[in-house]
Amino acid sequence: MQTFMMGARLVRALISQNGYMAMLEGYYKFENLILKVLLGACVVLVVVASLARWVGYPIIWSVDIAQLLFIWICFLGANQALRHDQHIGVDFLIRRCPKKLQYLVEAVGYALTIAFLLALIRYGYDLTTMNVERRLSDTDMSYAWVTAAVPVGCALLALTSVGKFFVALQKLLGKAEG
């Protein structure tokens, strides 16, 4: 019974605002670390492969692995850009509208984005399962590692978009500052 009570307290702490925010911050740091490691590995691989090719010993699989790393960097980077509102936006007309309309357009935009990302998750999953047996060129790795970036990346983007949608909804309802 005591173990159950400790588990219940842990769940309440995680669900609490502070626990949830701490968990999110931990995830953000982890995602940032993974992104840095992938980017560093991609750069090192491309430099080493270029030098090896220059001296006459090309690394045949380097392009494929660099592309694999790059697709994951793109999706993780896109999620970080979305989280920090760093994607390109055209808001020339919207900025001239009343605040409530701006918040409504923002909420609708996130809702449409979530719907699109959910479709990409579904079709990306299908693409990944179709490519499990396919090999990544000159390696023994499954090509599914490349295509898995689509559903995983879109799931992360969808989760970020859901959070942004609720913030926009709160602003629309006057429960949050703009």
Side-chain angles (χ1 to χ4, degrees):
M1 186 65 166
Q2 188 175 8
T3 305
F4 175 77
M5 295 303 290
M6 285 176 37
R9 274 183 278 188
L10 177 63
V11 168
R12 274 196 302 271
L14 286 175
I15 295 174
S16 74
Q17 187 68 16
N18 291 340
Y20 176 73
M21 294 309 289
M23 188 172 64
L24 274 181
E25 285 301 317
Y27 167 73
Y28 296 157
K29 288 178 182 176
F30 178 71
E31 183 183 66
N32 197 26
L33 174 67
I34 293 296
L35 193 54
K36 288 176 181 177
V37 167
L38 291 177
L39 185 58
C42 189
V43 168
V44 167
L45 178 63
V46 169
V47 168
V48 168
S50 297
L51 292 173
R53 189 177 313 115
W54 184 62
V55 296
Y57 296 99
I59 303 172
I60 297 170
W61 49 265
S62 64
V63 172
D64 298 317
I65 300 301
Q67 289 174 343
L68 167 70
L69 295 173
F70 189 70
I71 188 71
W72 282 92
I73 291 166
C74 288
F75 276 101
L76 292 175
N79 190 41
Q80 286 198 349
L82 179 62
R83 186 178 314 119
H84 299 294
D85 295 321
Q86 293 177 334
H87 281 283
I88 295 172
V90 181
D91 60 354
F92 178 75
L93 293 176
I94 286 297
R95 284 186 299 166
R96 288 160 173 61
C97 295
K99 285 288 187 194
K100 286 281 188 184
L101 182 57
Q102 289 180 29
Y103 300 147
L104 177 64
V105 169
E106 185 179 3
V108 169
Y110 283 121
L112 292 173
T113 299
I114 293 164
F116 178 69
L117 289 168
L118 290 175
L120 285 177
I121 292 168
R122 164 128 177 18
Y123 292 114
Y125 175 79
D126 291 346
L127 181 66
T128 300
T129 57
M130 286 189 318
N131 283 292
V132 169
E133 297 299 320
R134 181 179 168 192
R135 296 292 125 209
L136 186 61
S137 280
D138 298 313
T139 69
D140 284 335
M141 290 180 64
S142 171
Y143 194 76
W145 283 104
V146 174
T147 57
V150 175
V152 172
C154 288
L156 293 173
L157 286 161
L159 288 172
T160 301
S161 295
V162 166
K164 296 272 186 189
F165 170 77
F166 282 116
V167 168
L169 207 56
Q170 286 179 331
K171 288 191 284 187
L172 180 64
L173 300 173
K175 295 181 180 179
E177 292 183 25

